[in-house]
Amino acid sequence: MVHQMIQINKSPAPRASSSNSSMARCLNGLALALIVGSLVACGSAPMAPVGRTLPPPARTATVPSTPAVDTGPIIQQPKSRWVAVDWSGLPGFEDDNLFEAWNAWLKSCERPAAALAALCGDVRRLSIGSGDEQRAWMQSKLQPYRVESLQGDSNGLLTSYFEPMLEASRTPSAAFSVPIYQVPPNLASRKPWYSRQEIDTLPEAQAALKGRVIAYLADPVDALVLQIQGSGRMRITQADGSLRWARLAYAGTNDQPYRSVGRWLLDQGLIKDASWPGIKAWLIQNPQRQQELLWSNPRVVFFKEEILSDLDASFGPKGAQGVALTPGRSIAVDPGSIPYGTPVWLASTGAQSNLQRLVLAQDTGSAITGAVRADYFAGWGSEAGELAGRMKQNLQMWTFWPK
C-alpha cells in the first residue's frame, strides 16, 4: 500500500508500490505519520472496527553490539547482501510469540514468492502448532542471513505507519467540506497532473474532478494524513443518514513530487519538532497559514472505496505484495533489498518501542529505500497513530531463506 512518510531526512522518490501494487502506499518523504484531527466518535454503525496497534514485546529488546557469527555463503541482492549467520546470533528469537506472526505468514502464502512457495504447506499446517514446533521447523528448514548494505553496514532505520480512522460524510456541509477524490478520468492525459494548489484554485482542475468525490472529511489536515498513509478507514454518514464503515484504498497520485510539510516548517525555522504533534501545535497557533502549509506539498493521492467486512476489519489494507497487512507483524521494505513475502527477524530499540520479533516483508514505499530500512505497520486508530507518528529508531534485520 502506498503511504508517505512525514520524516524529513530523506529526499522524495517515486514509490515502487505507486506503479505496481493494488494497494500501493502512497508516496514519499519519511512517514512518521500520526492520527490527526477527529477520530471515530461514539455511535452505532453497521460495524465498528476497534483500533489496533502492535502488542507489547515479550521483553526489552537490545540490538547486539557485535554481529552474529558468520556461517557461510553470501546472497547478493540488487541493493543489499545477505550474510549467513548462526541462529544463536538472532537477539530474542527464543522469546518471540511466533504464533502472532503466523497470520501474516499465512497471508504471504496467498501470493508467495517462487523461492518460498514450497514452505507454505508447512506454514499452513503449523498455524495450529505450538511456538516450540514453529521454532523448530524454522530452524530445520530455513537459514538466517544478516542484511547488510552493499558496503557491509548492518545498521539502518525503522519508522512506522498506520491506518487512520476518520469521520466522513457522503454529502458536503459546513462540518464536512474537504473532498476525497477518485482518480480523475483524464489523469493519464497530463503528466504530472494538477498540483494540490492548482486543484484548489483552477477551474479546469475542478471541472476534471466533478463527480469524482467519494466522501467529505471535516479537516484538511486529516485529509493530508490520509494521503500520506495511503489508506484509511472512514465511518461515513450516508445521504439517508445511516452510518457504515468503509476503507479508502490507494488508487493513484497526481505524479507531483512529494514535499514533507515537516521539512517545510523546519526549513523556515518555524518549528523544531517536525512530528505530527509538533505540526499540529504550530497549526493551532498559526491557523491563518494552514493553506500555505498544505500547498507546500504538491502531491495529491486519489482513492477507491472498498467495503470493510468483519474479516477485512481484522487486517490492514493490502500492501505491495497484494496481501492484507497484519498489525505488528508486517513491514514495508525496499524490494531491491528484501523480496516481498520474505520472513524477517527485526531488532530495534528506541524511545517509542523495543522490538525483537518475526515480521513479514509485505509492503513498500518511496521513502523506504536502502538495504536496512523498514516501515513497521502499527495497525489503526489513535494508539497506532501515536506510535507511528514518533517512531524513528535504529534497526537491524535478518532474513530467513530456504536451505
mmCIF file of all heavy atoms in Angstrom, residues 249-266:
data_model
loop_
_atom_site.group_PDB
_atom_site.id
_atom_site.type_symbol
_atom_site.label_atom_id
_atom_site.label_comp_id
_atom_site.label_asym_id
_atom_site.label_seq_id
_atom_site.Cartn_x
_atom_site.Cartn_y
_atom_site.Cartn_z
ATOM 1 N N ALA A 249 -8.889 3.104 -0.117
ATOM 2 C CA ALA A 249 -7.682 2.422 -0.562
ATOM 3 C C ALA A 249 -6.998 3.244 -1.650
ATOM 4 O O ALA A 249 -7.650 3.884 -2.471
ATOM 5 C CB ALA A 249 -8.033 1.035 -1.106
ATOM 6 N N TYR A 250 -5.685 3.191 -1.643
ATOM 7 C CA TYR A 250 -4.882 3.929 -2.618
ATOM 8 C C TYR A 250 -5.262 3.545 -4.047
ATOM 9 O O TYR A 250 -5.427 2.370 -4.377
ATOM 10 C CB TYR A 250 -3.406 3.627 -2.389
ATOM 11 C CG TYR A 250 -2.470 4.211 -3.418
ATOM 12 C CD1 TYR A 250 -1.905 5.460 -3.242
ATOM 13 C CD2 TYR A 250 -2.135 3.484 -4.559
ATOM 14 C CE1 TYR A 250 -1.027 5.986 -4.176
ATOM 15 C CE2 TYR A 250 -1.272 4.004 -5.503
ATOM 16 C CZ TYR A 250 -0.720 5.260 -5.311
ATOM 17 O OH TYR A 250 0.142 5.767 -6.247
ATOM 18 N N ALA A 251 -5.393 4.556 -4.926
ATOM 19 C CA ALA A 251 -5.732 4.295 -6.334
ATOM 20 C C ALA A 251 -4.789 4.995 -7.301
ATOM 21 O O ALA A 251 -4.745 4.633 -8.472
ATOM 22 C CB ALA A 251 -7.167 4.720 -6.620
ATOM 23 N N GLY A 252 -4.044 6.003 -6.852
ATOM 24 C CA GLY A 252 -3.131 6.703 -7.752
ATOM 25 C C GLY A 252 -2.751 8.065 -7.189
ATOM 26 O O GLY A 252 -3.238 8.477 -6.130
ATOM 27 N N THR A 253 -1.877 8.769 -7.900
ATOM 28 C CA THR A 253 -1.463 10.109 -7.494
ATOM 29 C C THR A 253 -1.471 11.038 -8.699
ATOM 30 O O THR A 253 -1.622 10.606 -9.844
ATOM 31 C CB THR A 253 -0.050 10.123 -6.888
ATOM 32 O OG1 THR A 253 0.922 10.075 -7.953
ATOM 33 C CG2 THR A 253 0.177 8.959 -5.954
ATOM 34 N N ASN A 254 -1.277 12.310 -8.425
ATOM 35 C CA ASN A 254 -1.170 13.301 -9.496
ATOM 36 C C ASN A 254 0.243 13.375 -10.074
ATOM 37 O O ASN A 254 0.522 14.231 -10.921
ATOM 38 C CB ASN A 254 -1.608 14.678 -8.992
ATOM 39 C CG ASN A 254 -0.767 15.185 -7.826
ATOM 40 O OD1 ASN A 254 0.066 14.455 -7.280
ATOM 41 N ND2 ASN A 254 -0.979 16.433 -7.430
ATOM 42 N N ASP A 255 1.140 12.517 -9.611
ATOM 43 C CA ASP A 255 2.521 12.436 -10.102
ATOM 44 C C ASP A 255 3.345 13.689 -9.825
ATOM 45 O O ASP A 255 4.408 13.878 -10.407
ATOM 46 C CB ASP A 255 2.558 12.129 -11.608
ATOM 47 C CG ASP A 255 2.140 10.710 -11.900
ATOM 48 O OD1 ASP A 255 2.618 9.800 -11.193
ATOM 49 O OD2 ASP A 255 1.341 10.491 -12.818
ATOM 50 N N GLN A 256 2.857 14.516 -8.930
ATOM 51 C CA GLN A 256 3.655 15.646 -8.473
ATOM 52 C C GLN A 256 4.645 15.157 -7.418
ATOM 53 O O GLN A 256 4.415 14.135 -6.762
ATOM 54 C CB GLN A 256 2.751 16.725 -7.868
ATOM 55 C CG GLN A 256 1.801 17.392 -8.842
ATOM 56 C CD GLN A 256 2.476 18.454 -9.692
ATOM 57 O OE1 GLN A 256 3.624 18.850 -9.433
ATOM 58 N NE2 GLN A 256 1.775 18.928 -10.721
ATOM 59 N N PRO A 257 5.754 15.856 -7.214
ATOM 60 C CA PRO A 257 6.712 15.417 -6.187
ATOM 61 C C PRO A 257 6.127 15.546 -4.796
ATOM 62 O O PRO A 257 5.347 16.459 -4.521
ATOM 63 C CB PRO A 257 7.896 16.377 -6.377
ATOM 64 C CG PRO A 257 7.306 17.582 -7.034
ATOM 65 C CD PRO A 257 6.196 17.091 -7.908
ATOM 66 N N TYR A 258 6.493 14.623 -3.939
ATOM 67 C CA TYR A 258 6.086 14.722 -2.539
ATOM 68 C C TYR A 258 7.029 15.661 -1.800
ATOM 69 O O TYR A 258 8.248 15.549 -1.913
ATOM 70 C CB TYR A 258 6.109 13.350 -1.872
ATOM 71 C CG TYR A 258 5.911 13.434 -0.369
ATOM 72 C CD1 TYR A 258 4.643 13.652 0.168
ATOM 73 C CD2 TYR A 258 6.988 13.335 0.502
ATOM 74 C CE1 TYR A 258 4.456 13.754 1.532
ATOM 75 C CE2 TYR A 258 6.814 13.434 1.869
ATOM 76 C CZ TYR A 258 5.541 13.643 2.378
ATOM 77 O OH TYR A 258 5.373 13.747 3.739
ATOM 78 N N ARG A 259 6.468 16.591 -1.059
ATOM 79 C CA ARG A 259 7.258 17.501 -0.215
ATOM 80 C C ARG A 259 6.748 17.380 1.219
ATOM 81 O O ARG A 259 5.560 17.531 1.475
ATOM 82 C CB ARG A 259 7.119 18.962 -0.669
ATOM 83 C CG ARG A 259 7.443 19.200 -2.144
ATOM 84 C CD ARG A 259 8.892 18.941 -2.457
ATOM 85 N NE ARG A 259 9.226 19.276 -3.838
ATOM 86 C CZ ARG A 259 10.260 18.784 -4.507
ATOM 87 N NH1 ARG A 259 11.065 17.913 -3.912
ATOM 88 N NH2 ARG A 259 10.495 19.137 -5.746
ATOM 89 N N SER A 260 7.638 17.130 2.142
ATOM 90 C CA SER A 260 7.266 16.985 3.541
ATOM 91 C C SER A 260 6.867 18.333 4.131
ATOM 92 O O SER A 260 7.643 19.300 4.073
ATOM 93 C CB SER A 260 8.437 16.400 4.323
ATOM 94 O OG SER A 260 8.242 16.556 5.714
ATOM 95 N N VAL A 261 5.685 18.390 4.731
ATOM 96 C CA VAL A 261 5.281 19.644 5.387
ATOM 97 C C VAL A 261 6.137 19.884 6.617
ATOM 98 O O VAL A 261 6.391 21.038 6.991
ATOM 99 C CB VAL A 261 3.783 19.624 5.744
ATOM 100 C CG1 VAL A 261 2.924 19.575 4.489
ATOM 101 C CG2 VAL A 261 3.432 18.466 6.674
ATOM 102 N N GLY A 262 6.612 18.801 7.258
ATOM 103 C CA GLY A 262 7.523 18.971 8.379
ATOM 104 C C GLY A 262 8.834 19.597 7.950
ATOM 105 O O GLY A 262 9.383 20.471 8.619
ATOM 106 N N ARG A 263 9.357 19.150 6.793
ATOM 107 C CA ARG A 263 10.599 19.722 6.258
ATOM 108 C C ARG A 263 10.404 21.193 5.909
ATOM 109 O O ARG A 263 11.295 22.021 6.143
ATOM 110 C CB ARG A 263 10.996 18.935 5.017
ATOM 111 C CG ARG A 263 12.251 19.422 4.298
ATOM 112 C CD ARG A 263 13.495 18.989 5.032
ATOM 113 N NE ARG A 263 13.972 19.977 6.001
ATOM 114 C CZ ARG A 263 14.915 19.745 6.899
ATOM 115 N NH1 ARG A 263 15.446 18.548 6.990
ATOM 116 N NH2 ARG A 263 15.318 20.689 7.729
ATOM 117 N N TRP A 264 9.236 21.506 5.354
ATOM 118 C CA TRP A 264 8.930 22.890 5.003
ATOM 119 C C TRP A 264 8.957 23.785 6.237
ATOM 120 O O TRP A 264 9.537 24.884 6.214
ATOM 121 C CB TRP A 264 7.556 22.939 4.334
ATOM 122 C CG TRP A 264 7.105 24.295 3.891
ATOM 123 C CD1 TRP A 264 7.481 24.971 2.759
ATOM 124 C CD2 TRP A 264 6.177 25.157 4.569
ATOM 125 N NE1 TRP A 264 6.846 26.188 2.687
ATOM 126 C CE2 TRP A 264 6.034 26.329 3.790
ATOM 127 C CE3 TRP A 264 5.447 25.051 5.739
ATOM 128 C CZ2 TRP A 264 5.197 27.381 4.151
ATOM 129 C CZ3 TRP A 264 4.607 26.100 6.113
ATOM 130 C CH2 TRP A 264 4.492 27.243 5.318
ATOM 131 N N LEU A 265 8.373 23.329 7.326
ATOM 132 C CA LEU A 265 8.372 24.106 8.563
ATOM 133 C C LEU A 265 9.772 24.235 9.149
ATOM 134 O O LEU A 265 10.166 25.317 9.624
ATOM 135 C CB LEU A 265 7.438 23.451 9.581
ATOM 136 C CG LEU A 265 5.941 23.545 9.277
ATOM 137 C CD1 LEU A 265 5.160 22.578 10.147
ATOM 138 C CD2 LEU A 265 5.443 24.970 9.489
ATOM 139 N N LEU A 266 10.545 23.155 9.107
ATOM 140 C CA LEU A 266 11.912 23.205 9.635
ATOM 141 C C LEU A 266 12.787 24.149 8.826
ATOM 142 O O LEU A 266 13.575 24.922 9.386
ATOM 143 C CB LEU A 266 12.516 21.805 9.625
ATOM 144 C CG LEU A 266 12.005 20.815 10.674
ATOM 145 C CD1 LEU A 266 12.552 19.425 10.385
ATOM 146 C CD2 LEU A 266 12.393 21.258 12.077
#
